[in-house]
Amino acid sequence: MKKKSVTIEVTFKIAQKIEEKSLKEGKKIYIANIAKETGITIPTLYRMINKSGNTWIKHVIALCDYFQCDLDELVEYKLIKHNQH
């Protein structure tokens, strides 16, 4: 059985989301603020925006390729809200 070769391109819409949030909040959103609030380093955020470097998404794409499945079949996202005191 011949392995299928697939190419997947992932584009993070971080720049677009920054612009939307800036307009919504009426203030400029800086990468440093995002890094501080999310725990993601500034260099990693820039790599994600510029589609460069080795980010975790390459590993996820490799797993999708291996299992011949779409991202939503491999990854589930749940928002769990915690009560803040």
Side-chain angles (χ1 to χ4, degrees):
M1 186 170 173
K2 193 173 181 180
K3 183 182 174 191
K4 293 181 183 178
S5 178
V6 292
T7 301
I8 300 171
E9 180 177 305
V10 175
T11 302
F12 292 101
K13 298 179 181 181
I14 298 169
Q16 176 185 335
K17 297 309 268 180
I18 290 170
E19 186 177 326
E20 290 171 5
K21 189 171 177 73
S22 292
L23 289 172
K24 182 180 176 184
E25 294 185 5
K27 63 180 182 180
K28 185 161 176 58
I29 305 294
Y30 295 95
I31 296 289
N33 298 108
I34 298 168
K36 183 178 178 183
E37 297 220 12
T38 64
I40 302 169
T41 66
I42 292 171
T44 297
L45 285 167
Y46 277 117
R47 281 194 304 271
M48 292 171 77
I49 291 167
N50 297 319
K51 294 200 278 187
S52 64
N54 185 16
T55 60
W56 63 270
I57 197 67
K58 289 183 181 182
H59 302 298
V60 174
I61 290 169
L63 288 169
C64 286
D65 187 28
Y66 176 80
F67 291 114
Q68 295 293 302
C69 67
D70 292 326
L71 182 64
D72 63 342
E73 295 175 86
L74 183 70
V75 177
E76 182 177 303
Y77 177 86
K78 291 182 183 179
L79 180 61
I80 301 171
K81 294 185 179 183
H82 297 280
N83 292 333
Q84 294 182 359
H85 302 285

